[in-house]
Amino acid sequence: MVKGLNYSKQETMVSEELLTLGVEHTRWFQLEDKNYDIYIPKYNLLIEYNGDYWHCNPRKYESDYFHKVKNKTAKELWKLDSYKVELSKKHGYNL
């Protein structure tokens, strides 16, 4: 665990299940200026858990919804999430 990082309950559940299955993985993987939740080297796989609240699930939030904690609109958060997807592809990772 990286000092100062807070893992969500869902990220922890995924990590624990991977451990149960014997899948070697790293929590918190940095790629350029972005962080991903889990990295599985064997599959060159990044896992990013986008929770409804923190990532403003489009099925639940309008694009102009303002996330007070992140100080961004839902549309801005979605753009950042899309950027992370493209960044992972650019570097040859599965996501």
Side-chain angles (χ1 to χ4, degrees), residues 31-32 36 79-93 95:
L31 183 58
E32 290 188 17
Y36 296 82
K79 187 174 178 178
L80 289 170
D81 290 339
S82 292
Y83 170 73
K84 286 178 80 172
V85 170
E86 293 306 313
L87 182 65
S88 66
K89 288 179 185 179
K90 173 182 152 189
H91 286 275
Y93 290 95
L95 180 67

Side-chain angles (χ1 to χ4, degrees), residues 36-64:
Y36 296 82
D37 299 327
I38 295 173
Y39 173 55
I40 304 174
K42 181 177 180 179
Y43 302 107
N44 197 38
L45 176 65
L46 295 169
I47 297 175
E48 182 68 3
Y49 189 94
N50 288 350
D52 287 344
Y53 173 71
W54 291 105
H55 294 267
C56 295
N57 181 342
R59 293 181 183 145
K60 297 182 177 188
Y61 295 89
E62 298 293 327
S63 62
D64 62 347

Side-chain angles (χ1 to χ4, degrees), residues 8-21:
S8 72
K9 289 178 188 175
Q10 292 79 8
E11 290 172 50
T12 299
M13 287 174 29
V14 171
S15 179
E16 288 173 355
E17 186 63 26
L18 290 170
L19 287 173
T20 299
L21 296 169

